[in-house]
Amino acid sequence: MKMTGGNSSGDSEITMDDVTLLIKKKDEIEEQIKAYYDVLEDQGVGVEGPLVDGEGFPRADINLYQIRTARHNISCLQNDHKAIMADIEEALHKLHAREKAKREQDEMEAQEEAMERQVALPRPFARVDAVTEGSPASGAGLRVGDEVIEFGSVNTENFQNLQNIASVVQHSEGKPLRVSVIRAGQKAQMSLTPQRWAGRGLLGCNIVPVQR
């Protein structure tokens, strides 16, 4: 493929600038072809008109050299135009193919990163199955379905039963607790302060253990 700007070493170097240059060259060729057609039109012969009279002698009413030159140049330029159109099509195809491959690679890397993050997360030991509107838990951003991996000093490693969480809550009234959960496959952190409110308990949510 004949690329402008010296970018013939490989597909990886094809850019939109190369395509733009090819299109500019195509436009220049089309302008030249039109100019030569104008010459033929001025002479009144066109591309196929006869250059000899009825007796077979060169016509004296036209500029034979100018016409032959114009016809020859039109033929050459049309070949150039066909070739550059093929170059443009090929360049666009390769450019689009490379962009598609890059998008697919980016998507694959994003999926791999998401999987790595998911694998790196601790296993949850409890799950939130109810959150009351207007409660401390609701205000902290806790949601139904959140899988708990850290609740204050309680974590996956030291959790034994729900009494561990109850004990932390009772001893932390009015004090913020760091709560970490897994939500939609990603880790989310929030600050939850156990405190008296209009409803029951200090949290306003229900937490159940996760079967291991």
Side-chain angles (χ1 to χ4, degrees):
M1 178 177 177
K2 302 189 296 295
M3 296 301 300
T4 57
N7 280 350
S8 59
S9 59
D11 298 348
S12 61
E13 296 189 24
I14 295 174
T15 66
M16 274 305 301
D17 287 339
D18 295 314
V19 177
T20 301
L21 288 173
L22 286 172
I23 292 174
K24 181 179 179 182
K25 187 173 181 180
K26 172 192 73 74
D27 292 341
E28 292 173 353
I29 291 174
E30 289 174 349
E31 289 178 3
Q32 293 175 41
I33 291 175
K34 182 180 181 303
Y36 285 122
Y37 269 114
D38 290 342
V39 170
L40 296 179
E41 186 177 344
D42 290 342
Q43 293 290 329
V45 294
V47 178
E48 302 293 340
L51 303 183
V52 295
D53 57 23
E55 298 180 358
F57 292 101
R59 290 173 54 181
D61 60 326
I62 56 176
N63 187 325
L64 292 175
Y65 175 78
Q66 192 177 42
I67 292 171
R68 286 180 176 140
T69 299
R71 287 179 174 179
H72 173 75
N73 289 339
I74 287 174
S75 177
C76 293
L77 287 169
Q78 285 176 335
N79 290 333
D80 291 343
H81 187 267
K82 182 179 180 180
I84 203 166
M85 289 298 292
D87 283 349
I88 292 171
E89 183 178 358
E90 183 180 356
L92 287 172
H93 174 74
K94 291 180 178 179
L95 193 63
H96 293 161
R98 193 177 70 213
E99 290 175 351
K100 180 182 178 182
K102 185 178 183 304
R103 284 196 304 270
E104 292 175 349
Q105 179 66 24
D106 290 344
E107 290 174 0
M108 185 180 300
E109 290 177 356
Q111 290 176 357
E112 290 175 353
E113 289 177 4
M115 291 178 64
E116 288 175 1
R117 286 196 302 270
Q118 200 165 9
V119 170
L121 292 174
R123 286 191 304 171
F125 57 83
R127 179 174 53 83
V128 179
D129 70 349
V131 178
T132 303
E133 188 71 26
S135 66
S138 176
L142 210 59
R143 299 179 188 173
V144 173
D146 284 348
E147 297 178 313
V148 183
I149 57 176
E150 181 183 15
F151 198 103
S153 60
V154 181
N155 55 47
T156 301
E157 299 300 323
N158 61 24
F159 174 79
Q160 295 177 336
N161 52 53
L162 291 179
Q163 185 58 41
N164 300 141
I165 296 177
S167 178
V168 168
V169 171
Q170 291 170 5
H171 289 87
S172 302
E173 184 174 353
K175 301 174 184 178
L177 293 173
R178 185 171 71 175
V179 178
S180 300
V181 301
I182 297 175
R183 180 184 297 164
Q186 296 187 357
K187 184 177 180 180
Q189 288 187 336
M190 61 207 72
S191 178
L192 172 56
T193 302
Q195 57 190 349
R196 302 292 174 180
W197 61 293
R200 295 174 56 188
L202 299 176
L203 299 180
C205 67
N206 191 52
I207 297 175
V208 297
V210 172
Q211 297 296 329
R212 300 197 180 191

